[in-house]
Amino acid sequence: MKAIIIGSGLGGLLSAAKLSKAGYEVDVFERLPIIGGRFTNIQYKGFELSTGALHMIPHGPTGPLARLLEEVGANVKIIRGKPVTVIRITRKRGDTDYKFGYKDLLFENFKTPFSILNRIKLMYYAISTRKDPPTGKSFEQWCKEHLDQDWTYRISDAFFGWSVSLRGADVPVEEAFAIIENLYRYGGPGVPMGGCKAVTDALVDVIRAHGGNIHTSSEVTGLKTVDSKVTGIIANGFEHNANIVISNIGHPETARMLSETTGINGLKAYLEKVSELKPSAGIKICIQSDKPLIGHGGVLLTPYAKRVNGINEVTNIDPALSPEGKHLTMSHQCVHWSDLDNLEKEIELGLEDIKEIFPEKEYEVLMIQSYSNGWPVNRSSSGADLKGTTPLSNLYVVGDGAKGKGGIEVEGIALGVRETLHNILGKEML
């Protein structure tokens, strides 16, 4: 059996590793000259910066991604930070117990600022909402009905802004609780030793060890179809036959190659759904310092910042990601769809936040990266993902536009890949 993977991002590499290990002849086609897409490293001034995602795996060594990596035999060491997450609360007028204008709260104590009544409500609704039919409401709408308190909106915007690059107003309430449930099921974030590239390199090793090939600078421009099946792809002007094709370039780009195809049942409805997808956008600010700014390897959530949602300092866990004696700190902020035309202003607000979050600290901005349009945070906003299947029986889509329910970033990619591989290989092969 021959499988062709379009794109060498994390979803494509996970799929290729699993299929090659299962005995498939696998070829991966990547349009860029590098492997890994938005989940690898770029070297800059001696620092290992990431092309997209932070050097962090949301559920650390016990989450869906770590489990899938272990299954395929990818040798990756993931270390969970301690504490895993801290919330920075800005001083309010009249408070005297804050140092430096803020105090830090461990994430497991996030309920503390809620009123006693709202704590009780939160526990009740967190259990009951999972069983209810979809409401069509956002998490913010739901909170206005049940937990209408300033802290609710601040902490939800910070958490969802960091984890899925969306505001609470843009996350369906059912997806929000699924994300929270997975957080308690799998645990908090961890850092892969060597950064994102350590993960993709390990997957490449698995693929090649089982006879798979990865073709860089090879753009797939078309799909060959017969009836309701894909028979192969066209890359660099040449045709390549396949029994199965898995696309890691998202539903919209996959649909574009199907737009002129006719006579396939369900294709029109599929193309309409794809046209409604909205990618999520974000900004990452990478900074260097001689001394730690955070002092731990977990996430620092910033609910009182104007734009920045969360920050991590990975060199507290893996010093090799920076030159000796230096620290690498990265902030992330979601960019709302209404602000996409004003990225420079959003960047300015993020830089102002960093000054306020780290008062009297010395640091230097290394690089500012924005993720939108064709290079987004997620090709589909969380909760609006389409499944990995398509109207063509042997064409699948994986990646950040086809995540599993409640999956944060790369964890969602792993959940989506697992579901797709279940459809291809069957339960017994997983």
Side-chain angles (χ1 to χ4, degrees):
M1 293 288 285
K2 175 68 177 291
I4 285 180
I5 315 294
I6 306 173
S8 70
L10 181 62
L13 294 177
L14 285 169
S15 302
K18 188 67 178 181
L19 289 176
S20 64
K21 194 173 182 181
Y24 277 71
E25 180 184 347
V26 174
D27 278 283
V28 181
F29 290 84
E30 169 58 56
R31 69 179 178 88
L32 297 176
I34 62 171
I35 296 171
R38 284 165 291 151
F39 202 78
T40 188
N41 301 2
I42 52 175
Q43 292 188 346
Y44 183 71
K45 293 185 177 181
F47 290 85
E48 294 288 338
L49 305 184
S50 56
T51 53
L54 301 176
H55 290 306
M56 184 164 275
I57 295 177
H59 295 308
T62 55
L65 177 56
R67 293 180 181 182
L68 194 50
L69 290 171
E70 184 178 0
E71 286 177 21
V72 301
N75 185 20
V76 182
K77 184 177 182 180
I78 304 168
I79 297 180
R80 179 170 282 146
K82 293 182 180 180
V84 292
T85 305
V86 172
I87 306 168
R88 180 151 294 182
I89 301 177
T90 303
R91 179 174 58 193
K92 298 177 183 178
R93 182 175 297 177
D95 289 327
T96 58
D97 61 339
Y98 289 30
K99 295 181 180 179
F100 310 113
Y102 63 83
K103 69 177 179 181
D104 289 340
L105 182 73
L106 292 177
F107 186 75
E108 51 264 38
N109 298 323
F110 81 95
K111 297 184 292 293
T112 301
F114 284 115
S115 66
I116 295 176
L117 177 59
N118 278 350
R119 290 185 210 176
I120 297 172
K121 286 182 178 180
L122 182 64
M123 288 187 289
Y124 170 75
Y125 288 120
I127 297 172
S128 64
T129 302
R130 297 198 307 269
K131 302 175 183 179
D132 294 336
T135 62
K137 296 178 181 179
S138 70
F139 188 69
E140 182 177 279
Q141 289 173 318
W142 180 89
C143 288
K144 286 181 178 178
E145 294 180 9
H146 304 290
L147 299 170
D148 192 11
Q149 184 177 330
D150 178 65
W151 175 246
T152 307
Y153 308 116
R154 288 189 179 276
I155 189 60
S156 63
D157 279 349
F159 174 72
F160 292 122
W162 173 79
S163 61
V164 294
S165 210
L166 294 173
R167 298 176 183 173
D170 301 311
V171 181
V173 63
E174 295 80 16
E175 179 69 10
F177 277 113
I179 289 172
I180 294 170
E181 185 177 351
N182 280 345
L183 184 64
Y184 284 99
R185 176 185 297 147
Y186 299 121
V191 174
M193 301 300 286
C196 297
K197 193 173 188 293
V199 177
T200 48
D201 280 356
L203 290 170
V204 169
D205 289 343
V206 172
I207 295 165
R208 288 176 173 162
H210 290 86
N213 298 298
I214 301 176
H215 310 276
T216 55
S217 300
S218 298
E219 184 173 6
V220 175
T221 55
L223 298 172
K224 296 167 55 184
T225 62
V226 173
D227 297 327
S228 61
K229 285 192 173 183
V230 173
T231 58
I233 59 101
I234 301 170
N236 296 340
F238 294 93
E239 295 184 358
H240 302 267
N241 297 326
N243 302 102
I244 291 171
V245 174
I246 298 178
S247 172
N248 187 215
I249 59 175
H251 285 282
E253 285 300 306
T254 306
R256 180 182 58 80
M257 291 189 283
L258 292 171
S259 59
E260 296 182 4
T261 307
T262 58
I264 297 176
N265 185 38
L267 181 58
K268 182 179 179 181
Y270 171 74
L271 295 177
E272 289 177 353
K273 287 182 179 180
V274 170
S275 68
E276 296 171 356
L277 295 177
K278 298 170 70 174
S280 55
I283 292 170
K284 180 173 64 181
I285 301 175
C286 304
I287 58 183
Q288 67 159 316
S289 60
D290 294 333
K291 297 180 180 179
L293 300 181
I294 295 178
H296 60 80
V299 178
L300 180 70
L301 292 179
T302 53
Y304 288 91
K306 293 184 286 290
R307 288 295 187 273
V308 169
N309 304 121
I311 306 173
N312 71 334
E313 195 167 57
V314 292
T315 42
N316 291 307
I317 290 179
D318 187 359
L321 293 172
S322 68
E324 186 176 354
K326 297 287 186 178
H327 282 273
L328 173 62
T329 306
M330 296 175 286
S331 71
H332 177 77
Q333 62 194 82
C334 77
V335 178
H336 193 262
W337 298 299
S338 61
D339 297 318
L340 284 174
D341 293 331
N342 201 5
L343 284 177
E344 290 188 6
K345 179 62 176 177
E346 294 299 298
I347 290 171
E348 288 177 8
L349 291 171
L351 291 170
E352 290 175 9
D353 278 340
I354 292 173
K355 287 182 180 180
E356 294 178 4
I357 294 167
F358 301 120
E360 301 179 5
K361 294 284 183 80
E362 293 185 2
Y363 60 84
E364 177 187 344
V365 175
L366 277 172
M367 183 179 291
I368 299 171
Q369 298 158 282
S370 62
Y371 301 92
S372 60
N373 300 319
W375 196 262
V377 175
N378 287 313
R379 289 188 174 94
S380 173
S381 58
S382 293
D385 306 78
L386 296 182
K387 294 290 186 180
T389 55
T390 71
L392 286 83
S393 60
N394 63 336
L395 174 65
Y396 301 88
V397 177
V398 296
D400 54 39
K403 299 189 296 298
K405 186 174 179 62
I408 299 174
E409 303 299 348
V410 294
E411 305 288 10
I413 291 174
L415 289 171
V417 167
R418 177 173 289 281
E419 184 175 342
T420 293
L421 293 175
H422 179 274
N423 290 330
I424 296 172
L425 299 174
K427 184 178 181 180
E428 67 280 359
M429 294 294 290
L430 293 175

